[in-house]
Amino acid sequence: MRCPYCGKTEDKVLESRTMANGESIRRRRECTSCGYRFTSYERIEEKPLMVVKKDGRRQPFARAKIEKGVERALEKRPVPTNTIESIVNEIEEQALMKARVSREISTTELGELVLERLNAIDKVAYIRFASVYKHFENLDEFITEVKKIGKKTKKNTKKIEEVVDRKS
């Protein structure tokens, strides 16, 4: 460590303390050349998780964007606020696990994680998110997606198709 007073790199550590729940270490040092005492801090520097857009651009992972999308999909649905928080936590954890080595995840993988969680929680929220995420352009694409999730719950699909047929 370079002495801030004389610029020499020889020093000795007088005292070390763990700080911020083990997130950093504070070291009290003394320069062996001039005797000046100073403090240094050590922290783990992690590369941020980056999201790779479809056009190749990279941007830092923004938890707030995921949270906003999930909240929007679950708007006016009977899902408690703490469930939304846990969904976002799970998505973030899964994204970090998938991107462990490269510290990158594609928007496609991220979108699929969100769809997977929403499908398990609320089918209507799943369809809402899917319609925006998958850029539905017509009613047929919408119906196809409803049928896909409906294979798991045939009873619900029949009701939805009846409603769609009445509106057509």
Side-chain angles (χ1 to χ4, degrees), residues 27-71:
R27 297 194 195 278
R28 196 70 186 127
R29 298 176 180 266
E30 182 177 43
C31 177
T32 54
S33 297
C34 69
Y36 184 75
R37 290 185 176 195
F38 59 99
T39 304
S40 66
Y41 294 90
E42 249 178 68
R43 287 180 202 85
I44 295 173
E45 186 177 348
E46 291 186 32
K47 284 175 53 181
L49 176 61
M50 299 299 284
V51 177
V52 181
K53 304 291 238 172
K54 288 181 182 174
D55 65 3
R57 289 181 297 127
R58 286 166 171 68
Q59 66 183 60
F61 174 81
R63 177 188 166 89
K65 285 184 178 181
I66 300 293
E67 196 167 7
K68 183 179 175 184
V70 170
E71 284 175 353

Tab-separated table of all heavy atoms in Angstrom, residues 27-71:
chain	number	residue	atom	x	y	z
A	27	ARG	N	-8.151	-1.562	7.743
A	27	ARG	CA	-6.797	-1.820	8.237
A	27	ARG	C	-6.132	-0.501	8.628
A	27	ARG	O	-6.141	0.450	7.865
A	27	ARG	CB	-5.958	-2.504	7.173
A	27	ARG	CG	-6.479	-3.865	6.779
A	27	ARG	CD	-5.437	-4.637	5.994
A	27	ARG	NE	-5.987	-5.779	5.314
A	27	ARG	CZ	-6.215	-6.952	5.848
A	27	ARG	NH1	-5.961	-7.148	7.114
A	27	ARG	NH2	-6.712	-7.934	5.137
A	28	ARG	N	-5.563	-0.493	9.810
A	28	ARG	CA	-4.788	0.662	10.296
A	28	ARG	C	-3.335	0.343	9.967
A	28	ARG	O	-2.824	-0.708	10.349
A	28	ARG	CB	-5.023	0.802	11.801
A	28	ARG	CG	-4.628	2.085	12.388
A	28	ARG	CD	-5.558	3.220	11.949
A	28	ARG	NE	-4.979	4.431	12.475
A	28	ARG	CZ	-4.707	5.507	11.769
A	28	ARG	NH1	-5.037	5.573	10.508
A	28	ARG	NH2	-4.153	6.545	12.315
A	29	ARG	N	-2.677	1.213	9.221
A	29	ARG	CA	-1.316	0.962	8.738
A	29	ARG	C	-0.343	2.040	9.201
A	29	ARG	O	-0.747	3.163	9.485
A	29	ARG	CB	-1.297	0.914	7.209
A	29	ARG	CG	-2.146	-0.193	6.628
A	29	ARG	CD	-2.168	-0.118	5.104
A	29	ARG	NE	-2.977	-1.172	4.533
A	29	ARG	CZ	-2.514	-2.340	4.131
A	29	ARG	NH1	-1.238	-2.610	4.223
A	29	ARG	NH2	-3.325	-3.238	3.631
A	30	GLU	N	0.941	1.668	9.180
A	30	GLU	CA	2.004	2.628	9.502
A	30	GLU	C	3.119	2.464	8.468
A	30	GLU	O	3.597	1.342	8.222
A	30	GLU	CB	2.563	2.386	10.905
A	30	GLU	CG	3.640	3.386	11.295
A	30	GLU	CD	4.139	3.177	12.715
A	30	GLU	OE1	4.353	2.007	13.096
A	30	GLU	OE2	4.293	4.179	13.426
A	31	CYS	N	3.502	3.574	7.851
A	31	CYS	CA	4.581	3.567	6.868
A	31	CYS	C	5.896	3.292	7.609
A	31	CYS	O	6.199	3.958	8.613
A	31	CYS	CB	4.650	4.910	6.152
A	31	CYS	SG	6.008	5.035	4.970
A	32	THR	N	6.670	2.320	7.121
A	32	THR	CA	7.941	1.998	7.779
A	32	THR	C	9.032	3.009	7.436
A	32	THR	O	10.040	3.081	8.132
A	32	THR	CB	8.419	0.569	7.401
A	32	THR	OG1	8.472	0.465	5.977
A	32	THR	CG2	7.479	-0.476	7.977
A	33	SER	N	8.817	3.828	6.422
A	33	SER	CA	9.820	4.838	6.043
A	33	SER	C	9.692	6.119	6.850
A	33	SER	O	10.671	6.613	7.407
A	33	SER	CB	9.697	5.185	4.557
A	33	SER	OG	9.959	4.061	3.771
A	34	CYS	N	8.437	6.653	6.915
A	34	CYS	CA	8.263	7.958	7.579
A	34	CYS	C	7.470	7.892	8.884
A	34	CYS	O	7.380	8.870	9.608
A	34	CYS	CB	7.615	8.955	6.620
A	34	CYS	SG	5.890	8.580	6.225
A	35	GLY	N	6.835	6.750	9.174
A	35	GLY	CA	6.080	6.601	10.413
A	35	GLY	C	4.654	7.128	10.350
A	35	GLY	O	3.917	7.081	11.348
A	36	TYR	N	4.227	7.652	9.193
A	36	TYR	CA	2.865	8.177	9.032
A	36	TYR	C	1.846	7.036	9.162
A	36	TYR	O	2.031	5.958	8.606
A	36	TYR	CB	2.739	8.855	7.656
A	36	TYR	CG	1.411	9.523	7.413
A	36	TYR	CD1	1.107	10.732	8.014
A	36	TYR	CD2	0.458	8.936	6.578
A	36	TYR	CE1	-0.120	11.354	7.796
A	36	TYR	CE2	-0.762	9.548	6.344
A	36	TYR	CZ	-1.036	10.751	6.963
A	36	TYR	OH	-2.243	11.360	6.735
A	37	ARG	N	0.776	7.286	9.903
A	37	ARG	CA	-0.289	6.285	10.079
A	37	ARG	C	-1.491	6.651	9.217
A	37	ARG	O	-1.876	7.817	9.159
A	37	ARG	CB	-0.703	6.202	11.546
A	37	ARG	CG	0.378	5.582	12.399
A	37	ARG	CD	-0.091	5.393	13.814
A	37	ARG	NE	0.932	4.710	14.575
A	37	ARG	CZ	0.726	4.152	15.739
A	37	ARG	NH1	-0.477	4.190	16.298
A	37	ARG	NH2	1.708	3.543	16.373
A	38	PHE	N	-2.056	5.625	8.590
A	38	PHE	CA	-3.219	5.844	7.724
A	38	PHE	C	-4.117	4.614	7.737
A	38	PHE	O	-3.728	3.552	8.230
A	38	PHE	CB	-2.788	6.209	6.288
A	38	PHE	CG	-1.925	5.181	5.602
A	38	PHE	CD1	-2.473	4.277	4.711
A	38	PHE	CD2	-0.547	5.145	5.833
A	38	PHE	CE1	-1.682	3.352	4.064
A	38	PHE	CE2	0.255	4.218	5.193
A	38	PHE	CZ	-0.311	3.316	4.309
A	39	THR	N	-5.318	4.777	7.203
A	39	THR	CA	-6.317	3.707	7.188
A	39	THR	C	-6.599	3.306	5.748
A	39	THR	O	-6.722	4.159	4.867
A	39	THR	CB	-7.630	4.181	7.853
A	39	THR	OG1	-7.324	4.623	9.178
A	39	THR	CG2	-8.658	3.075	7.924
A	40	SER	N	-6.718	2.003	5.525
A	40	SER	CA	-7.122	1.510	4.206
A	40	SER	C	-8.335	0.594	4.396
A	40	SER	O	-8.558	0.066	5.486
A	40	SER	CB	-5.980	0.750	3.528
A	40	SER	OG	-5.682	-0.429	4.230
A	41	TYR	N	-9.108	0.441	3.336
A	41	TYR	CA	-10.293	-0.420	3.357
A	41	TYR	C	-10.192	-1.424	2.222
A	41	TYR	O	-9.778	-1.077	1.112
A	41	TYR	CB	-11.580	0.411	3.202
A	41	TYR	CG	-11.824	1.333	4.367
A	41	TYR	CD1	-11.327	2.626	4.372
A	41	TYR	CD2	-12.541	0.895	5.475
A	41	TYR	CE1	-11.538	3.475	5.446
A	41	TYR	CE2	-12.757	1.733	6.555
A	41	TYR	CZ	-12.250	3.014	6.532
A	41	TYR	OH	-12.468	3.842	7.608
A	42	GLU	N	-10.600	-2.654	2.491
A	42	GLU	CA	-10.607	-3.718	1.491
A	42	GLU	C	-12.037	-4.171	1.281
A	42	GLU	O	-12.750	-4.434	2.234
A	42	GLU	CB	-9.829	-4.925	2.036
A	42	GLU	CG	-8.539	-5.204	1.366
A	42	GLU	CD	-7.840	-6.379	2.026
A	42	GLU	OE1	-8.341	-7.514	1.909
A	42	GLU	OE2	-6.809	-6.129	2.666
A	43	ARG	N	-12.454	-4.260	0.014
A	43	ARG	CA	-13.793	-4.747	-0.330
A	43	ARG	C	-13.696	-5.681	-1.515
A	43	ARG	O	-12.822	-5.508	-2.364
A	43	ARG	CB	-14.705	-3.586	-0.735
A	43	ARG	CG	-15.146	-2.721	0.390
A	43	ARG	CD	-16.052	-1.585	-0.104
A	43	ARG	NE	-16.028	-0.518	0.855
A	43	ARG	CZ	-15.126	0.435	0.914
A	43	ARG	NH1	-14.163	0.469	0.036
A	43	ARG	NH2	-15.174	1.366	1.839
A	44	ILE	N	-14.605	-6.614	-1.590
A	44	ILE	CA	-14.686	-7.470	-2.767
A	44	ILE	C	-15.333	-6.657	-3.873
A	44	ILE	O	-16.386	-6.050	-3.678
A	44	ILE	CB	-15.527	-8.732	-2.483
A	44	ILE	CG1	-14.826	-9.598	-1.446
A	44	ILE	CG2	-15.769	-9.512	-3.775
A	44	ILE	CD1	-15.650	-10.772	-0.985
A	45	GLU	N	-14.710	-6.653	-5.018
A	45	GLU	CA	-15.269	-5.927	-6.154
A	45	GLU	C	-15.854	-6.949	-7.118
A	45	GLU	O	-15.135	-7.751	-7.713
A	45	GLU	CB	-14.181	-5.113	-6.861
A	45	GLU	CG	-14.734	-4.245	-7.951
A	45	GLU	CD	-13.654	-3.384	-8.593
A	45	GLU	OE1	-12.551	-3.299	-8.062
A	45	GLU	OE2	-13.954	-2.805	-9.641
A	46	GLU	N	-17.150	-6.938	-7.219
A	46	GLU	CA	-17.826	-7.872	-8.107
A	46	GLU	C	-18.183	-7.177	-9.402
A	46	GLU	O	-18.577	-6.012	-9.403
A	46	GLU	CB	-19.108	-8.397	-7.461
A	46	GLU	CG	-18.864	-9.312	-6.293
A	46	GLU	CD	-20.151	-9.927	-5.786
A	46	GLU	OE1	-21.064	-10.167	-6.605
A	46	GLU	OE2	-20.232	-10.169	-4.589
A	47	LYS	N	-18.042	-7.930	-10.492
A	47	LYS	CA	-18.492	-7.396	-11.767
A	47	LYS	C	-20.019	-7.372	-11.736
A	47	LYS	O	-20.644	-8.323	-11.280
A	47	LYS	CB	-18.032	-8.295	-12.911
A	47	LYS	CG	-16.578	-8.163	-13.257
A	47	LYS	CD	-16.140	-9.153	-14.314
A	47	LYS	CE	-16.993	-9.125	-15.553
A	47	LYS	NZ	-16.589	-10.100	-16.563
A	48	PRO	N	-20.622	-6.304	-12.219
A	48	PRO	CA	-22.088	-6.265	-12.201
A	48	PRO	C	-22.668	-7.244	-13.226
A	48	PRO	O	-22.039	-7.549	-14.238
A	48	PRO	CB	-22.407	-4.817	-12.595
A	48	PRO	CG	-21.222	-4.360	-13.369
A	48	PRO	CD	-20.044	-5.101	-12.793
A	49	LEU	N	-23.858	-7.731	-12.946
A	49	LEU	CA	-24.571	-8.594	-13.884
A	49	LEU	C	-25.007	-7.729	-15.057
A	49	LEU	O	-25.620	-6.674	-14.863
A	49	LEU	CB	-25.785	-9.230	-13.202
A	49	LEU	CG	-26.685	-10.098	-14.076
A	49	LEU	CD1	-25.930	-11.287	-14.643
A	49	LEU	CD2	-27.880	-10.575	-13.279
A	50	MET	N	-24.680	-8.159	-16.263
A	50	MET	CA	-25.031	-7.408	-17.461
A	50	MET	C	-26.121	-8.145	-18.231
A	50	MET	O	-26.130	-9.373	-18.300
A	50	MET	CB	-23.808	-7.224	-18.365
A	50	MET	CG	-22.673	-6.447	-17.711
A	50	MET	SD	-23.120	-4.780	-17.229
A	50	MET	CE	-23.098	-3.953	-18.784
A	51	VAL	N	-27.032	-7.378	-18.810
A	51	VAL	CA	-28.112	-7.932	-19.624
A	51	VAL	C	-27.764	-7.651	-21.082
A	51	VAL	O	-27.494	-6.508	-21.452
A	51	VAL	CB	-29.468	-7.289	-19.254
A	51	VAL	CG1	-30.573	-7.810	-20.146
A	51	VAL	CG2	-29.788	-7.550	-17.793
A	52	VAL	N	-27.759	-8.713	-21.900
A	52	VAL	CA	-27.443	-8.586	-23.315
A	52	VAL	C	-28.751	-8.449	-24.083
A	52	VAL	O	-29.584	-9.356	-24.084
A	52	VAL	CB	-26.647	-9.804	-23.830
A	52	VAL	CG1	-26.300	-9.636	-25.301
A	52	VAL	CG2	-25.393	-10.022	-22.993
A	53	LYS	N	-28.925	-7.283	-24.700
A	53	LYS	CA	-30.141	-7.001	-25.462
A	53	LYS	C	-30.129	-7.770	-26.779
A	53	LYS	O	-29.088	-8.260	-27.210
A	53	LYS	CB	-30.245	-5.499	-25.757
A	53	LYS	CG	-30.187	-4.624	-24.516
A	53	LYS	CD	-31.402	-4.800	-23.697
A	53	LYS	CE	-32.092	-3.474	-23.533
A	53	LYS	NZ	-33.371	-3.571	-22.914
A	54	LYS	N	-31.255	-7.853	-27.454
A	54	LYS	CA	-31.358	-8.585	-28.713
A	54	LYS	C	-30.457	-8.009	-29.801
A	54	LYS	O	-29.982	-8.730	-30.659
A	54	LYS	CB	-32.816	-8.615	-29.190
A	54	LYS	CG	-33.665	-9.533	-28.333
A	54	LYS	CD	-35.091	-9.601	-28.798
A	54	LYS	CE	-35.875	-10.497	-27.847
A	54	LYS	NZ	-37.292	-10.513	-28.125
A	55	ASP	N	-30.204	-6.707	-29.745
A	55	ASP	CA	-29.331	-6.083	-30.747
A	55	ASP	C	-27.847	-6.134	-30.357
A	55	ASP	O	-27.000	-5.563	-31.035
A	55	ASP	CB	-29.758	-4.639	-31.022
A	55	ASP	CG	-29.598	-3.724	-29.818
A	55	ASP	OD1	-29.096	-4.174	-28.768
A	55	ASP	OD2	-29.974	-2.539	-29.930
A	56	GLY	N	-27.525	-6.824	-29.243
A	56	GLY	CA	-26.139	-6.991	-28.832
A	56	GLY	C	-25.645	-5.993	-27.798
A	56	GLY	O	-24.569	-6.161	-27.239
A	57	ARG	N	-26.422	-4.930	-27.566
A	57	ARG	CA	-26.014	-3.961	-26.544
A	57	ARG	C	-26.054	-4.607	-25.177
A	57	ARG	O	-26.821	-5.518	-24.940
A	57	ARG	CB	-26.954	-2.740	-26.539
A	57	ARG	CG	-26.826	-1.835	-27.717
A	57	ARG	CD	-27.784	-0.639	-27.632
A	57	ARG	NE	-29.166	-1.108	-27.655
A	57	ARG	CZ	-30.085	-0.781	-26.755
A	57	ARG	NH1	-29.812	0.043	-25.768
A	57	ARG	NH2	-31.313	-1.250	-26.842
A	58	ARG	N	-25.215	-4.104	-24.285
A	58	ARG	CA	-25.183	-4.604	-22.911
A	58	ARG	C	-25.508	-3.459	-21.968
A	58	ARG	O	-25.057	-2.337	-22.174
A	58	ARG	CB	-23.805	-5.163	-22.586
A	58	ARG	CG	-23.545	-6.490	-23.232
A	58	ARG	CD	-22.081	-6.875	-23.185
A	58	ARG	NE	-21.848	-8.235	-23.615
A	58	ARG	CZ	-22.020	-8.672	-24.850
A	58	ARG	NH1	-22.435	-7.866	-25.792
A	58	ARG	NH2	-21.781	-9.934	-25.160
A	59	GLN	N	-26.278	-3.782	-20.941
A	59	GLN	CA	-26.573	-2.786	-19.921
A	59	GLN	C	-26.669	-3.484	-18.576
A	59	GLN	O	-26.956	-4.674	-18.510
A	59	GLN	CB	-27.834	-2.002	-20.242
A	59	GLN	CG	-29.123	-2.794	-20.216
A	59	GLN	CD	-30.304	-1.947	-20.612
A	59	GLN	OE1	-30.351	-1.422	-21.707
A	59	GLN	NE2	-31.261	-1.834	-19.729
A	60	PRO	N	-26.400	-2.769	-17.494
A	60	PRO	CA	-26.452	-3.387	-16.164
A	60	PRO	C	-27.855	-3.917	-15.839
A	60	PRO	O	-28.858	-3.328	-16.240
A	60	PRO	CB	-26.088	-2.244	-15.211
A	60	PRO	CG	-25.420	-1.224	-16.053
A	60	PRO	CD	-25.984	-1.368	-17.435
A	61	PHE	N	-27.892	-5.032	-15.135
A	61	PHE	CA	-29.154	-5.613	-14.684
A	61	PHE	C	-29.859	-4.607	-13.784
A	61	PHE	O	-29.252	-4.036	-12.879
A	61	PHE	CB	-28.875	-6.902	-13.901
A	61	PHE	CG	-30.096	-7.508	-13.275
A	61	PHE	CD1	-30.949	-8.289	-14.017
A	61	PHE	CD2	-30.384	-7.289	-11.939
A	61	PHE	CE1	-32.082	-8.860	-13.433
A	61	PHE	CE2	-31.503	-7.853	-11.350
A	61	PHE	CZ	-32.350	-8.634	-12.103
A	62	ALA	N	-31.124	-4.377	-14.051
A	62	ALA	CA	-31.905	-3.427	-13.256
A	62	ALA	C	-33.083	-4.168	-12.617
A	62	ALA	O	-34.081	-4.458	-13.285
A	62	ALA	CB	-32.396	-2.274	-14.122
A	63	ARG	N	-32.940	-4.446	-11.357
A	63	ARG	CA	-33.987	-5.143	-10.607
A	63	ARG	C	-35.311	-4.388	-10.699
A	63	ARG	O	-36.376	-4.984	-10.801
A	63	ARG	CB	-33.538	-5.290	-9.156
A	63	ARG	CG	-34.556	-5.934	-8.257
A	63	ARG	CD	-34.130	-5.859	-6.800
A	63	ARG	NE	-35.225	-6.165	-5.936
A	63	ARG	CZ	-35.543	-7.385	-5.528
A	63	ARG	NH1	-34.813	-8.415	-5.897
A	63	ARG	NH2	-36.575	-7.591	-4.738
A	64	ALA	N	-35.233	-3.072	-10.700
A	64	ALA	CA	-36.446	-2.241	-10.743
A	64	ALA	C	-37.260	-2.498	-12.011
A	64	ALA	O	-38.494	-2.449	-11.982
A	64	ALA	CB	-36.073	-0.772	-10.639
A	65	LYS	N	-36.590	-2.779	-13.123
A	65	LYS	CA	-37.310	-3.051	-14.368
A	65	LYS	C	-38.093	-4.360	-14.269
A	65	LYS	O	-39.234	-4.441	-14.724
A	65	LYS	CB	-36.332	-3.133	-15.543
A	65	LYS	CG	-35.809	-1.801	-15.998
A	65	LYS	CD	-34.937	-1.980	-17.224
A	65	LYS	CE	-34.435	-0.666	-17.738
A	65	LYS	NZ	-33.610	-0.840	-18.950
A	66	ILE	N	-37.474	-5.365	-13.673
A	66	ILE	CA	-38.155	-6.656	-13.492
A	66	ILE	C	-39.348	-6.462	-12.565
A	66	ILE	O	-40.453	-6.932	-12.839
A	66	ILE	CB	-37.195	-7.715	-12.895
A	66	ILE	CG1	-35.982	-7.942	-13.802
A	66	ILE	CG2	-37.921	-9.022	-12.604
A	66	ILE	CD1	-36.284	-8.570	-15.122
A	67	GLU	N	-39.110	-5.743	-11.478
A	67	GLU	CA	-40.171	-5.493	-10.498
A	67	GLU	C	-41.342	-4.752	-11.140
A	67	GLU	O	-42.507	-5.111	-10.935
A	67	GLU	CB	-39.596	-4.688	-9.334
A	67	GLU	CG	-40.451	-4.677	-8.113
A	67	GLU	CD	-39.715	-4.133	-6.895
A	67	GLU	OE1	-38.582	-3.643	-7.017
A	67	GLU	OE2	-40.310	-4.203	-5.810
A	68	LYS	N	-41.046	-3.763	-11.945
A	68	LYS	CA	-42.095	-2.980	-12.614
A	68	LYS	C	-42.909	-3.861	-13.570
A	68	LYS	O	-44.145	-3.787	-13.593
A	68	LYS	CB	-41.455	-1.818	-13.379
A	68	LYS	CG	-42.437	-0.911	-14.042
A	68	LYS	CD	-41.721	0.230	-14.752
A	68	LYS	CE	-42.693	1.081	-15.537
A	68	LYS	NZ	-42.009	2.123	-16.307
A	69	GLY	N	-42.230	-4.719	-14.329
A	69	GLY	CA	-42.918	-5.608	-15.259
A	69	GLY	C	-43.813	-6.612	-14.554
A	69	GLY	O	-44.942	-6.861	-14.971
A	70	VAL	N	-43.309	-7.173	-13.465
A	70	VAL	CA	-44.090	-8.148	-12.695
A	70	VAL	C	-45.287	-7.458	-12.039
A	70	VAL	O	-46.407	-7.975	-12.073
A	70	VAL	CB	-43.202	-8.866	-11.648
A	70	VAL	CG1	-44.030	-9.682	-10.686
A	70	VAL	CG2	-42.167	-9.748	-12.341
A	71	GLU	N	-45.050	-6.282	-11.463
A	71	GLU	CA	-46.163	-5.533	-10.837
A	71	GLU	C	-47.228	-5.194	-11.867
A	71	GLU	O	-48.426	-5.295	-11.598
A	71	GLU	CB	-45.645	-4.247	-10.191
A	71	GLU	CG	-44.932	-4.475	-8.884
A	71	GLU	CD	-44.318	-3.205	-8.312
A	71	GLU	OE1	-44.323	-2.142	-9.004
A	71	GLU	OE2	-43.813	-3.263	-7.183
